[in-house]
Amino acid sequence: NAGVMQNPRHLVRRRGQEARLRCSPMKGHSHVYWYRQLPEEGLKFMVYLQKENIIDESGMPKERFSAEFPKEGPSILRIQQVVRGDSAAYFCASSLTSGSSPYEQYFGPGTRLTVT
Amino acid sequence: GEDVEQSLFLSVREGDSSVINCTYTDSSSTYLYWYKQEPGAGLQLLTYIFSNMDMKQDQRLTVLLNKKDKHLSLRIADTQTGDSAIYFCAEPAGNQFYFGTGTSLTVIP
């Protein structure tokens, strides 16, 4: 059973370009979470999605960032008009369930975005 | 949002015990988690503890929870060089996990 897959692993973009980060959850998982890790900081929640629905986007910047999890295919985190401050590691996690009972979020290896 | 705090660095000698500490703010969390991040990798769940427990042991790992002080610790017995990594405590709240800043553990041979 393959784990959470993210691609690309490393992405370099110039200021003003668009960045598209992809995440394929573990087989059978319908809950997807995106986190951002700035240098020497912990992970910060961005968005939680289920198939075709954004459930909680309270951690997403209001502008330039969007996320989707279509019925078919991976979840996409899209950053438009990137700026240097967007340079970070972006992690995707998936889970089988969600809520208050113990549930594990399985993390992908991350995409390291560098904006030049 | 919730505030989860950890000290940033810890160095121990191989074979000694490591103790990584964490304080959290949300007393309603049902479970608390410890994750490990090796260089260039994602996070791997190490263990979790139910909030009604004081202690949980899993092989070389011991988790202690002081709910009154909102203090969580992870003890690694007989620390090995392969334990060198960043360790995050995490507190779930709603749909997300709140992570501490991570403690970078260095094991000296």
Side-chain angles (χ1 to χ4, degrees):
Chain A
N1 187 10
V4 178
M5 312 275 282
Q6 287 189 250
N7 67 80
R9 293 292 306 275
H10 299 274
L11 182 61
V12 179
R13 284 287 178 266
R14 293 183 187 277
R15 276 182 300 168
Q17 291 184 319
E18 178 180 285
R20 282 180 157 249
L21 288 63
R22 293 176 189 76
C23 169
S24 296
M26 284 185 71
K27 188 175 181 181
H29 287 193
S30 60
H31 302 262
V32 166
Y33 313 79
W34 285 94
Y35 292 82
R36 176 165 64 175
Q37 185 180 31
L38 294 169
E40 298 185 0
E41 291 189 16
L43 279 71
K44 303 292 185 192
F45 169 79
M46 299 181 76
V47 62
Y48 160 45
L49 309 102
Q50 292 184 31
K51 281 287 186 183
E52 299 184 274
N53 290 304
I54 296 174
I55 307 301
D56 180 351
E57 56 182 348
S58 57
M60 285 275 270
K62 293 285 185 276
E63 297 175 351
R64 301 187 297 109
F65 286 72
S66 62
E68 62 178 15
F69 188 16
K71 188 176 178 182
E72 300 291 337
S75 175
I76 306 282
L77 179 69
R78 185 177 173 212
I79 312 171
Q80 295 178 292
Q81 299 176 328
V82 296
V83 300
R84 287 218 173 100
D86 296 333
S87 295
Y90 292 82
F91 290 96
C92 168
S94 73
S95 67
L96 190 59
T97 62
S98 184
S100 59
S101 57
Y103 70 99
E104 180 174 354
Q105 291 191 6
Y106 292 83
F107 282 80
T111 293
R112 278 147 183 87
L113 172 66
T114 302
V115 179
T116 61
Chain B
E2 309 308 327
D3 196 12
V4 182
E5 297 195 352
Q6 300 177 239
S7 53
L8 290 179
F9 303 101
L10 176 65
S11 291
V12 299
R13 292 203 176 275
E14 190 174 14
D16 288 350
S17 292
S18 310
V19 179
I20 301 169
N21 295 303
C22 171
T23 57
Y24 61 96
T25 56
D26 185 358
S27 59
S28 67
S29 296
T30 310
Y31 293 87
L32 294 154
Y33 298 76
W34 282 103
Y35 279 83
K36 175 183 180 183
Q37 183 182 31
E38 295 183 355
L43 276 70
Q44 172 196 354
L45 178 68
L46 282 179
T47 187
Y48 62 84
I49 187 168
F50 184 45
S51 60
N52 279 359
M53 297 171 65
D54 298 325
M55 184 182 85
K56 179 181 178 182
Q57 185 148 6
D58 183 1
Q59 299 182 338
R60 293 192 296 122
L61 304 179
T62 303
V63 179
L64 295 176
L65 175 60
N66 182 329
K67 202 171 179 185
K68 174 175 168 287
D69 293 339
K70 298 180 186 173
H71 183 266
L72 182 72
S73 68
L74 174 70
R75 178 177 181 267
I76 306 172
D78 187 25
T79 312
Q80 304 297 307
T81 53
D83 295 324
S84 292
I86 301 176
Y87 291 81
F88 293 92
C89 60
E91 173 186 29
N95 296 313
Q96 60 180 283
F97 278 26
Y98 285 91
F99 287 86
T101 50
T103 298
S104 178
L105 174 64
T106 301
V107 181
I108 304 162

